Amino acid sequence: MKLMSILTLGLGLAAGPLLADGHASGDAEAGEKVFKKCKACHMMVAGDGTVIVKGGKTGPNLFGLNERVAGSLEGFKYGKSIVAAGEAGLAWNEAEFVDYVADPKDFLKRTLDDKKAKSKMSFKLKKEKDATNVWAYIVSAGTE
Ligand code: HEC
C-alpha cells in the first residue's frame, strides 16, 4: 500500500510538467515567425479585445484555437465542409491542426470521407516543423 502511494506520487510529479505542455510540442518563438504567413488572412485577438496579431479577416480569428470545435467561431462565414467536420466532432489539437494546414481541402475530404469536400482556405503549410511551431505559438498566446 505504502509503496503504491509513493509510486503514484512519483508518477504524478513526473507527469505533471509533461501534461502541462502536452498539447504543444513545437517552438513557440519560431512559430511566431511562421505566423507571418497566416496573418494576411488571420488575426489573433483575445476575448477581451487585446490584439496579439493584427491580421486579415479572410480567415477566422485563431486566438484560443486549442480545443475549439472546427468551423465554430461565431460571426465567421465558414465553408460547409469545415462546419460539417466540427459537427461530426472535430476539435483542434496539434495532430489535427498539423494535418489540416498541410492541405486543408485534402484533410476535409479524408475527415468527412467525401471527395467533394471543399475548403475556403487555399493556403498550404507544407513543412511539418513549421506547423508544430506555429501551433505552439497559437497555444502560447493563451485561451479566453
Ligand atoms: C489566403 C488566406 C489564408 C491564409 C494565408 C491562411 N488561412 Fe487559414 N483559413 C483561411 C480561411 C478562408 C479559412 C476558413 C476555411 C473554411 O471555411 O473552409 C481558414 C481556416 C483556418 C483554420 C480553421 C479554424 C477554425 O475556426 O476551425 C485554421 C486552423 C487555419 N486556417 C490555420 C491557418 C494557419 C496556421 C495559417 C498560416 C500558416 C493559415 N491558416 C493561413 C484562410 C487563410
Side-chain angles (χ1 to χ4, degrees), residues 33-108:
K33 294 193 188 86
V34 179
F35 198 84
K36 292 200 168 90
K37 297 185 176 171
C38 318
K39 73 177 185 185
C41 300
H42 293 282
M43 66 184 87
M44 287 244 279
V45 178
D48 65 2
T50 307
V51 178
I52 298 152
V53 179
K54 201 175 162 194
K57 289 183 179 165
T58 311
N61 180 4
L62 291 182
F63 180 84
L65 190 69
N66 189 27
E67 291 177 4
R68 189 164 92 194
V69 173
S72 71
L73 190 75
E74 228 164 283
F76 184 79
K77 240 177 157 284
Y78 291 96
K80 275 186 197 150
S81 301
I82 196 166
V83 172
E87 282 169 359
L90 175 68
W92 296 115
N93 58 34
E94 182 177 285
E96 305 280 19
F97 172 87
V98 169
D99 194 357
Y100 174 80
V101 295
D103 189 338
K105 188 169 155 189
D106 184 65
F107 172 88
L108 291 172

Side-chain angles (χ1 to χ4, degrees), residues 85-143:
E87 282 169 359
L90 175 68
W92 296 115
N93 58 34
E94 182 177 285
E96 305 280 19
F97 172 87
V98 169
D99 194 357
Y100 174 80
V101 295
D103 189 338
K105 188 169 155 189
D106 184 65
F107 172 88
L108 291 172
K109 281 184 187 173
R110 282 184 281 116
T111 303
L112 297 168
D113 195 17
D114 174 3
K115 282 188 196 138
K116 290 184 186 143
K118 287 200 172 75
S119 172
K120 277 190 163 183
M121 173 161 149
S122 51
F123 180 84
K124 294 177 186 175
L125 187 65
K126 284 291 181 192
K127 278 194 201 153
E128 192 177 323
K129 197 165 180 219
D130 282 352
T132 49
N133 289 346
V134 78
W135 171 257
Y137 170 64
I138 292 170
V139 170
S140 77
T143 44

